[in-house]
Amino acid sequence: MSEGHQLVIYTDGASRGNPGPGGYGAILMWGEKRKELSAGYRLTTNNRMELLAVIVALESLTRQNIPLTIFTDSQYVVNSIEKKWVDGWIKNDFKGGKKNKDLWIRYYKLAKNFSIRLKWVKGHADNPFNNRCDVLATQAADKGPLLIDEGYEREIALK
């Protein structure tokens, strides 16, 4: 539950095969209000969907400079942000083949507008909001309609 007027966001991403069809799910909670977001993609990766869930949740917000906590079961997302790896990747223009440049740049620009606290939660465990995000993500991947992850498909076409 959200404490007072703290925005709480849960996110999850999924990929059927890695790469394969994928999807993301997010739940935004403000007091008793809930908003669910999800979408599926025809070809993507799990890490891209984990990160895209965070990005789409942030992009959906109409107010900036509010404190928010994002819960994710992705160590990739938490470590990249909390350990400031993404800062280094951006500074070095993703040298060394760091993946998901398009999404990290999108996140980085958005994150400047918020006071974000990230928290890792164990996936597929007893957290009902994380589990709901997993359902949203996998249903989006399985049922579609499937969108095109243009950043990923452009990246693999260049290889």
Side-chain angles (χ1 to χ4, degrees), residues 48 76 89 94 97-102 104 155 159:
R48 286 185 67 81
Y76 170 69
W89 299 339
F94 293 79
K98 293 296 175 204
K99 292 183 171 21
N100 307 319
K101 176 180 177 178
D102 61 320
W104 281 118
E155 189 178 290
K159 288 185 178 177

Side-chain angles (χ1 to χ4, degrees), residues 53-129:
V54 172
I55 291 168
V56 170
L58 293 175
E59 287 176 343
S60 76
L61 300 176
T62 55
R63 291 175 53 196
Q64 297 182 343
N65 300 316
I66 54 174
L68 54 96
T69 302
I70 299 173
F71 292 89
T72 176
D73 62 11
S74 171
Q75 292 280 359
Y76 170 69
V77 170
V78 172
N79 289 336
S80 297
I81 295 167
E82 292 295 305
K83 295 182 178 181
K84 308 227 182 288
W85 297 346
V86 69
D87 297 0
W89 299 339
I90 288 183
K91 194 166 108 182
N92 298 322
D93 195 29
F94 293 79
K95 284 191 174 67
K98 293 296 175 204
K99 292 183 171 21
N100 307 319
K101 176 180 177 178
D102 61 320
L103 294 181
W104 281 118
I105 289 171
R106 203 164 139 193
Y107 168 81
Y108 197 75
K109 289 176 181 173
L110 276 169
K112 293 176 183 179
N113 300 319
F114 301 98
S115 172
I116 300 171
R117 199 170 79 201
L118 267 109
K119 291 201 170 194
W120 181 80
V121 293
K122 184 176 167 71
H124 310 285
D126 58 359
N127 186 301
F129 301 117

Side-chain angles (χ1 to χ4, degrees), residues 17-52:
N18 204 18
Y24 68 80
I27 303 171
L28 291 78
M29 299 185 292
W30 180 267
E32 295 302 311
K33 293 183 180 164
R34 304 272 184 279
K35 181 178 183 178
E36 293 185 347
L37 306 169
S38 65
Y41 291 82
R42 70 181 187 186
L43 183 62
T44 192
T45 67
N46 187 60
N47 281 345
R48 286 185 67 81
M49 292 296 98
E50 294 280 5
L51 179 53
L52 188 59

